[in-house]
Structure formats: C-alpha cells, structure tokens
Amino acid sequence: KFLNSSDGSLEAGTSKREKRNISDTCPHYDSENCINCGLCSLVCPHAVVRPFLLDENEALDAPDTLASKLMDAKIKDCNLKYTIGISYPDCTGCSLCSNICPGKKGKKALTMVDKDQITRDEYVNSNYLFNEVTEKRVMTTDTVKGSQFRTPKFEFSGACSGCGETPYLKLLTQLFGDNLVIANATGCSSIYGASNPSSPYSVPWANSLFEDNAEFGYGMRIADDALKNRIVTLINDNIDKVKKSEAKIYKAYAADINIETADKLYNIVDNTKIDELKSLKSFIKPKSIWTVGGDGWAYDIGYGGLDHVIANNENVNILVLDTEVYSNTGGQSSKSSQAGSIAKFTAGGKTGAKKDLAQIAMAYGHVYVAQIAMGANPAQTIKAMKEAESYDGPSLIIAYAPCQAHGIKGGLANHQAEQKRAIDCGYFNLLRYDPRLEEQGKNPLQLDSKTPNFDGFKDYLLGENRFSQLLKVNPEHAEQLMAKCQADAQKRRARLEKMAQ
C-alpha cells in the first residue's frame, strides 16, 4: 500500500471525501437577505460556506431549484450570477456564519436550522455548486469579497467546531494559492492539517518536529533559492541552444525572477533543448513559503529557531496562530499566556506577563511584523498577509485565535465578536511594522487599532472561563492578577504608541 509513497509524500486534499455528517444543525441560506459581503465564507472554519459566481452557461445548466437563489453578482463588466453554497455533510454546526451575517433589515441570509429541514433539492444544489461551477478570478484578493471568490485549498479539516485558527489558514490558501508551500509545527495545526489519510490541504505541506519548524521552513527557502540559482545557471550556460524567438523570455527570467517572467518561461519549457531544465519545471515559479504553528512552538519550544530565522535576511514568512495556550495538550500555559489566565501548570492563575514577541521581532529593524485579529478587522488581516508575502525578507504575523480552552461565554460561535472585544479593550493590539516605510523616511510602525477603552478590560476577562474561574479557585489573588493583566496590556499599548509617534 505504501510503495507509491516511499518518499514520504501522500495524496493531498482527501478530506473532501469523508463527509462526516457530525452536526445536527447547519446554516440555511435565504438569498433575499444576502448583501454579497463574503463574511460568512471568510469566518467559516471548515470552508463549508462559500460564495459562487456562475457564468451564463452554468446558470442555464443549474438545477431548476437553484435558479431562485441566483442573483446578479454586480461586478463591473461581468455578466455573472451570485449565490452561496453550503456543503451540508461537512458542516460542524458552529454557527459562526450565521452570527457574522449582517443580513438585510434585521433579517439574516444564513440561519441555523435542524439538518433534517434541509431538503433533497438543497443537497442537489450544493453538489452542483461545489462540483460543477468553476472559479472566477474577476476581482483582486485585496478585499474580503474578492478573496472569498478564490477556491480554498484548505477545506473540511478535523479541527474543533468553531476553531479560531483555521479561518486564517483557509484565507492564506485563498490569497497565495498554488504558489504556497507550508512548513507546519507539530500541534493542533498539524493534527487537523494531516491526520492521514485525511488531508485538508491541496498545496504542498510538510511537518517536521515541534521544536525545529522555523528551521524547517528556512531550509525550504534555502533549497528553493538553490534550485532557482541552478535554473538561472542552466539558462546562462545554454542560451545559445534556445530558439531565437524565445531567447528574450529566458534572459528576462535569468535577470529577474518574478511571477510574470516565470509564467512565460513555464509555458515554453516543455519544448526546451536544455534537458535538465525540463526536470526543474516545477521549481520555475516563485514559491510563497510559510512557516505555521501555534504559540507553544513560536513563543516557547521553537523560539530559538524562530529567532535564528528572523535574524537572517531570507524571504521566509511566519504565521503564529496565537491561542495563548498549548491548545493541542488541552490548554497548557505558554509564554504567550496572559497574567491571571488559568491553564495547565498555572491552575491558580499565571503570575508572569505575556511575552511580547512582536516587540522582540521589531527590535531587529529588518523584520516585517504584524498582529492581526480577523474578527476585529478582516481588511487589516488581508492587508497584513499580503504585505508580509510581498516583503523580500523575514516576516512574522501573530494572529489572535480564540480557542475552546478559553471558555468563551456562549462558546466559539462568538469568537469573531470576542476578537473585536479583545481589541476594543486593549487586551490585544492590531499593528503592522514594515521596514520598507523607514526607507521612505516614514515611521515603519502603524497602529491599526484605535486607542482602547481599558474601562472594559475586566468585563472582557470575566467573559472567558480561563479568567473568571480565578474568583473561585484563587479568590485571595484574583483581583490582583486581573489588575496585573490590565497593567501589562497598558504598558504594551504605551510602548507601541511611543514607537508610532
């Protein structure tokens, strides 16, 4: 069975075959209340809810029962129809889509219903949309709406219902698509990322160890650079062998490797007379290499490697899914955990402050750094990811990701709103530090969250069990620990505001 995988590679994108049907509830779509915003798709942790664009033939071939749910897409110079598709067997019933939906005049386009209420026609409609309708690249990925028209290459994972991490990963695949390569640290993201034979990724993905993931991704960058250099050497040494009509394409690639020059070379390389170049075809295009993991890896076990990688000026992107706990061990305290938070090994509330990884990285001066929280500002999330990817150097994105270990009141169905509350009260800050701005004589640090209202800080803490339990398990020091957590947050904000002046 494993002879065809003796090199360790396995088939990708297999999770779509599982159809686990684990939830009794799922969203029901009412097109009359839809404003085509794409937020439902953005926040869906399992890529179950998606917007679809249908051309004239696809609309004509669609099941008759789907026709009433098609509306004008209202995209300039495009005659397309729009609708929302839902993969009912893959839904986990988290209700994030319904909660985020703005709807029209107080009526939502997505409402949670018992799955028994979903008709056979709706299943037929869903199958048609997911299997017969092609992707339309008619908008850029700079906006929420535009990004959600890209087919995700991370879908139907085994993550918890309402997971706060997976929406970031899904968005990453929508923004960078087939150019994406992921080095993944062991943890939650490796368990739902590759519990073989179920794989939610349709892009190259690999997992090494918990402690060396930054070096693992760094090695991928070095390897890809070496292969690119080999391609350029082959071109320069054999330019006399290529067709005169194509010589300009080869020379342009050798002079500057970018998406445009790579696409042109890629399209003609099958007929090249440089034999070795044919075998390197899959390495011609630029790779967007991302190192992904949780805070247990980035702040603790793998921090030494992460620091080593960002200290070097290689083009490696790092995405930290910051749940402030070792989520995969059931909620174990990490250096990212805040003062006063309860987790394994800090059962009476953590006494130390959260490690400020962003400040450490910014101190280097040459590292692109961002802190994002999708529920607070989805546009800033997209902007930071795209800026990090375009930066020719190391980049670090810290993504605030609520987890079931937080014990959010109302459950993970409220995690997008909880992210906004975290920003509003100053618990977490949105920022982007771009060294390119300093080269232009500007301040590289941009604070993307408004001055917080710290008066709401304690109420925010009491909205999560990891803090509210302090009043029961450690009543003598509960107020003191929560006050420290707030003081730490105020210090972080003051440092940032001083830097941003």
Side-chain angles (χ1 to χ4, degrees):
K1 291 290 183 180
F2 288 99
L3 288 178
N4 293 330
S5 301
S6 58
D7 63 351
S9 63
L10 294 153
E11 183 183 357
T14 53
S15 59
K16 61 188 174 187
R17 299 178 192 154
E18 286 196 85
K19 306 303 175 194
R20 294 185 291 265
N21 253 319
I22 60 173
S23 175
D24 293 331
T25 61
C26 62
H28 176 265
Y29 177 58
D30 186 345
S31 59
E32 292 184 1
N33 300 326
C34 183
I35 62 169
N36 306 14
C37 65
L39 286 172
C40 56
S41 171
L42 179 76
V43 305
C44 179
H46 290 83
V48 165
V49 181
R50 302 184 198 175
F52 288 92
L53 294 173
L54 289 74
D55 60 28
E56 192 173 346
N57 288 334
E58 288 168 338
L60 190 64
D61 293 336
D64 293 340
T65 51
L66 183 60
S68 63
K69 295 192 174 187
L70 299 179
M71 64 186 85
D72 188 349
K74 297 178 182 178
I75 299 174
K76 189 178 180 181
D77 300 325
C78 295
N79 181 26
L80 297 169
K81 298 295 182 182
Y82 174 98
T83 192
I84 292 289
I86 301 163
S87 184
Y88 303 108
D90 297 297
C91 182
T92 63
C94 71
S95 73
L96 274 165
C97 59
S98 178
N99 285 351
I100 201 75
C101 177
K104 282 182 184 176
K105 297 179 180 178
K107 293 183 179 180
K108 289 183 177 288
L110 289 165
T111 52
M112 299 304 291
V113 300
D114 191 287
K115 195 176 281 183
D116 291 343
Q117 295 181 33
I118 303 299
T119 65
R120 182 180 178 278
D121 287 340
E122 287 175 295
Y123 276 91
V124 171
N125 293 344
S126 172
N127 288 336
Y128 178 78
L129 291 170
F130 276 78
N131 298 316
E132 303 297 333
V133 176
T134 60
E135 179 183 272
K136 313 293 189 302
R137 300 199 170 191
V138 293
M139 292 181 70
T140 68
T141 56
D142 295 332
T143 63
V144 170
K145 187 173 179 177
S147 69
Q148 294 314 295
F149 288 135
R150 298 296 172 91
T151 303
K153 295 180 182 296
F154 175 84
E155 54 186 356
F156 316 137
S157 74
C160 297
S161 178
C163 177
E165 296 184 358
T166 52
Y168 293 112
L169 296 173
K170 176 166 62 75
L171 177 61
L172 201 68
T173 70
Q174 290 171 302
L175 295 180
F176 309 122
D178 289 332
N179 292 331
L180 186 63
V181 179
I182 294 178
N184 202 116
T186 302
C188 271
S189 57
S190 72
I191 304 307
Y192 60 63
S195 290
N196 285 314
S198 177
S199 171
Y201 282 104
S202 298
V203 293
W205 181 100
N207 163 236
S208 179
L209 300 170
F210 193 19
E211 64 270 27
D212 72 356
N213 190 50
E215 299 95 317
F216 189 46
Y218 185 55
M220 291 181 182
R221 174 80 278 159
I222 299 299
D224 188 65
D225 287 347
L227 289 162
K228 295 286 191 295
N229 290 336
R230 179 59 184 160
I231 291 170
V232 171
T233 299
L234 286 169
I235 290 172
N236 290 334
D237 290 350
N238 297 279
I239 195 68
D240 57 321
K241 294 181 181 179
V242 306
K243 295 178 182 178
K244 291 180 181 178
S245 60
E246 296 175 347
K248 188 179 289 186
I249 294 174
Y250 285 88
K251 290 178 180 178
Y253 181 87
D256 180 19
I257 301 175
N258 57 53
I259 292 175
E260 185 179 348
T261 59
D263 281 344
K264 289 180 179 178
L265 179 61
Y266 186 87
N267 292 332
I268 64 169
V269 76
D270 286 339
N271 298 318
T272 187
K273 292 182 179 179
I274 308 174
D275 292 335
E276 189 182 340
L277 194 56
K278 292 179 183 178
S279 66
L280 295 172
K281 179 181 179 180
S282 61
F283 299 102
I284 288 174
K285 293 184 179 182
K287 303 292 184 189
S288 180
I289 297 174
W290 286 77
T291 298
V292 173
D295 52 275
W297 156 67
Y299 286 71
D300 290 4
I301 306 296
Y303 170 71
L306 183 146
D307 182 62
H308 171 69
V309 170
I310 64 174
N312 287 279
N313 207 16
E314 291 291 338
N315 189 12
V316 177
N317 307 296
I318 299 172
L319 174 63
V320 181
L321 302 166
D322 192 355
T323 65
E324 300 189 330
V325 285
Y326 285 74
S327 297
N328 195 45
T329 58
Q332 177 184 331
S333 187
S334 85
K335 288 190 182 72
S336 175
S337 301
Q338 302 262 16
S341 61
I342 291 173
K344 291 180 180 179
F345 304 119
T346 54
K350 188 183 174 189
T351 57
K354 176 187 175 87
K355 183 177 184 177
D356 200 336
L357 188 60
Q359 284 279 352
I360 295 169
M362 286 189 286
Y364 276 111
H366 69 270
V367 183
Y368 178 94
V369 183
Q371 288 190 170
I372 61 176
M374 183 182 288
N377 191 333
Q380 188 258 1
T381 295
I382 293 172
K383 189 175 182 66
M385 285 184 170
K386 292 187 76 95
E387 284 182 350
E389 204 273 342
S390 68
Y391 179 64
D392 187 16
S395 65
L396 172 68
I397 294 183
I398 301 169
Y400 187 62
C403 173
Q404 64 176 4
H406 293 182
I408 297 170
K409 289 185 179 178
L412 285 176
N414 295 323
H415 92 230
Q416 291 286 313
E418 189 73 354
Q419 290 183 60
K420 187 177 186 306
R421 291 181 66 212
I423 303 304
D424 290 344
C425 76
Y427 182 85
F428 191 81
N429 295 286
L430 303 182
L431 61 89
R432 287 171 297 127
Y433 180 93
D434 192 339
R436 289 170 292 194
L437 293 176
E438 196 161 29
E439 296 169 5
Q440 301 168 20
K442 301 176 183 177
N443 192 323
L445 177 61
Q446 300 170 81
L447 272 174
D448 293 323
S449 48
K450 296 178 182 177
T451 302
N453 179 11
F454 285 105
D455 291 341
F457 197 92
K458 185 177 178 182
D459 286 341
Y460 170 79
L461 296 185
L462 294 176
E464 298 187 1
N465 287 342
R466 58 174 172 155
F467 291 105
S468 63
Q469 285 179 351
L470 272 176
L471 299 172
K472 291 183 179 180
V473 301
N474 192 357
E476 292 180 9
H477 301 103
E479 294 294 336
Q480 178 185 347
L481 287 168
M482 285 190 280
K484 175 172 173 48
C485 186
Q486 180 172 335
D488 292 341
Q490 288 172 315
K491 287 177 184 176
R492 285 195 299 271
R493 182 71 190 191
R495 284 197 298 267
L496 289 170
E497 288 181 349
K498 190 174 181 179
M499 286 178 66
Q501 286 175 357

